[in-house]
């Protein structure tokens, strides 16, 4: 019995080594942190049930990616495609702004770095991994048909050979190369905005974030404006409204958004980017969750602010406190 238990534990341990990188792959494919974790769990269950028939003609890692790809393709063939507000509507002038919610399934979701970015020693590989889980990049991936999406991620993010991808997808190298070429063309048409590397933060970036926290918590719109790009964007899923530019963002913050006055920010990280847990003053005392804010830093300023408002989903996922004391 003890030998059987040990064998089972060894098998589980061998599969679990790949969980984080598989979650990163499935997240890029699906655009949802929760769906990615479900897909990986499904992958692990299928692998466990079939491992006795695994013949070793490919590596265990390749075999797991084949299973994960099939799980993701099945999900995507059901018509799921996640988006950001800026993918669905034009920017709205603040004078015409209205909050219209769309279902959860609509939205590209944030993800904690630790769930999708495995620890690697190579700084260049780390930089690529972080860049390719950015919200803007994952949103661009969502424009691709499912198999092209898989090809692009496997070839250009994970650096698989064309022959390896062809074997995984049961197709030819020529077909893989053709799919990659079409995927590159589509990504070029939906080019994600470039952001500054933020791992680790340099001194200028640390100072920028400190000034951002001071301006936001102090509700100093003049100071906040000085930190924002002229074409900075602000979105608030699950609402499809998004704003562009100093005037509209500040107009919103001083109008409907004025309820955020007196808030507190707690630093975290999401999608390879700086982020903050935003806590709102609670009439009963202390501070209650209000939003997860994911920032995009560009050319030494804040280029984008995504406020994810469904805190019942995001704060537990990011292991954030349920509330802050006064």
């Amino acid at each position: 019995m003890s030998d059987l238990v040990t064998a089972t534990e060894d098998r589980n341990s061998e599969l679990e080594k790949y969980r984080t990188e598989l979650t990163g792959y499935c997240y890029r494919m699906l655009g949802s942190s929760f769906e990615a974790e479900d897909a990986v769990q499904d992958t692990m269950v299928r692998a466990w049930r079939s491992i006795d028939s695994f013949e070793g003609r490919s590596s265990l890692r390749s075999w797991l990616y084949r299973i994960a790809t099939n799980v993701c393709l099945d999900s995507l063939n059901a018509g799921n495609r996640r988006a950001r507000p800026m993918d669905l509507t034009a920017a709205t002038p603040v004078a015409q702004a209205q909050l219209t919610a769309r279902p959860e399934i609509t939205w590209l979701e944030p993800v904690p770095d630790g769930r999708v970015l495995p620890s690697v020693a190579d700084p260049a590989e780390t930089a690529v991994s972080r860049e390719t889980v950015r919200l803007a990049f994952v949103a661009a991936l969502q424009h691709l048909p499912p198999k092209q999406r898989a090809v692009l991620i496997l070839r250009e993010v994970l650096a698989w050979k064309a022959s390896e991808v062809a074997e995984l997808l049961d197709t030819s190298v020529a077909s893989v190369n053709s799919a990659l070429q079409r995927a590159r063309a589509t990504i070029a048409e939906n080019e994600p905005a470039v952001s500054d590397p933020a791992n680790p933060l340099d001194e200028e970036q640390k100072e920028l974030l400190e000034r951002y926290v001071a301006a936001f918590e102090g509700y100093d719109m003049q100071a906040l404006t000085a930190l924002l790009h002229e074409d900075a964007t602000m979105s608030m899923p699950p609402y499809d409204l998004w704003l562009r530019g100093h005037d509209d963002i500040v107009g919103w913050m001083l109008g409907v958004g004025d309820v955020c006055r007196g808030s507190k920010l707690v630093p975290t990280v999401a999608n390879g980017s700086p982020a903050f847990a935003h806590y709102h003053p609670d009439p009963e005392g202390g501070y209650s969750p209000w939003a997860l804010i994911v920032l995009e830093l560009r050319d030494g300023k804040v280029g984008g602010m995504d406020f994810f408002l469904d805190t019942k989903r995001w704060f537990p996922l990011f292991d954030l406190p349920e509330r802050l004391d006064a």
Side-chain angles (χ1 to χ4, degrees):
M1 178 63 76
S2 61
D3 290 343
L4 178 60
V5 171
T6 300
T8 300
E9 290 176 347
D10 289 347
R11 183 177 292 179
N12 282 336
S13 177
E14 188 68 19
L15 293 175
E16 285 295 324
K17 286 195 309 186
Y18 300 98
R19 182 177 289 274
T20 301
E21 65 173 285
L22 285 170
T23 305
Y25 173 62
C26 292
Y27 175 71
R28 295 178 182 98
M29 286 288 290
L30 302 173
S32 163
S33 44
F34 292 102
E35 287 184 3
E37 293 197 346
D38 288 346
V40 172
Q41 188 58 34
D42 191 1
T43 297
M44 293 297 184
V45 170
R46 294 188 191 189
W48 174 257
R49 289 174 177 169
S50 306
I51 199 164
D52 288 335
S53 62
F54 173 55
E55 298 175 353
R57 286 179 295 184
S58 62
S59 69
L60 178 63
R61 180 173 182 257
S62 297
W63 184 60
L64 288 171
Y65 269 90
R66 175 192 287 268
I67 298 172
T69 299
N70 288 333
V71 171
C72 290
L73 292 178
D74 287 345
S75 177
L76 292 168
N77 286 337
N80 298 350
R81 183 174 85 84
R82 302 278 179 159
R84 301 173 78 191
M86 43 281 287
D87 298 319
L88 302 178
T89 65
T92 305
V94 68
Q96 301 170 19
Q98 294 182 344
L99 291 176
T100 304
R102 297 203 188 190
E104 173 271 322
I105 193 69
T106 307
W107 302 116
L108 182 68
E109 297 179 348
V111 70
D113 283 12
R115 301 288 183 104
V116 294
L117 297 176
S119 299
V120 294
D122 185 351
E125 188 176 340
T126 299
V128 170
S129 295
R130 288 184 176 275
E131 177 67 18
T132 57
V133 294
R134 285 196 310 116
L135 288 169
F137 184 83
V138 180
L141 289 175
Q142 305 304 300
H143 291 278
L144 299 175
K147 284 196 175 180
Q148 286 185 29
R149 198 179 309 178
V151 168
L152 185 80
I153 296 168
L154 290 166
R155 291 282 285 117
E156 304 224 317
V157 176
L158 301 178
W160 284 39
K161 297 176 181 177
S163 58
E164 294 172 327
V165 178
E167 182 179 354
L168 182 146
L169 294 174
D170 289 324
T171 189
S172 66
V173 169
S175 178
V176 167
N177 289 335
S178 176
L180 180 60
Q181 186 175 9
R182 295 195 303 273
R184 285 172 174 166
T186 300
I187 291 292
E189 293 172 0
N190 300 276
E191 189 73 35
V194 176
S195 65
D196 297 339
N199 179 49
L201 293 167
D202 60 29
E203 291 304 315
E204 183 179 346
Q205 290 171 327
K206 290 177 182 177
E207 181 184 358
L208 172 64
L209 295 178
E210 289 170 0
R211 292 168 62 199
Y212 178 84
V213 171
F216 196 99
E217 292 187 344
Y219 228 68
D220 183 340
M221 292 300 107
Q222 184 174 353
L224 184 65
T225 297
L227 305 178
L228 297 177
H229 266 282
E230 289 185 3
D231 63 347
T233 61
M234 175 178 170
S235 71
M236 293 164 281
Y239 300 109
D240 59 12
L241 170 73
W242 67 283
L243 306 164
R244 186 194 295 276
H246 294 163
D247 292 345
D248 283 332
I249 291 174
V250 170
W252 176 268
M253 299 281 283
L254 292 176
V256 176
D258 195 63
V259 294
C260 293
R261 191 182 293 272
S263 295
K264 296 292 183 185
L265 301 183
V266 174
T268 183
V269 287
N271 294 82
S273 304
F276 293 96
H278 173 192
Y279 291 86
H280 186 268
D282 192 320
E284 297 181 3
Y287 300 85
S288 55
W290 187 260
L292 175 72
I293 308 173
V294 182
L295 298 184
E296 174 191 297
L297 305 185
R298 180 160 42 90
D299 301 327
K301 289 193 171 186
V302 176
M305 302 182 291
D306 293 293
F307 288 71
F308 292 92
L309 301 179
D310 190 354
T311 56
K312 290 183 179 179
R313 287 168 63 81
W314 308 128
F315 277 45
L317 181 68
F318 282 78
D319 295 323
L320 293 165
E322 292 183 5
R323 59 182 294 106
L324 299 181
D325 294 330

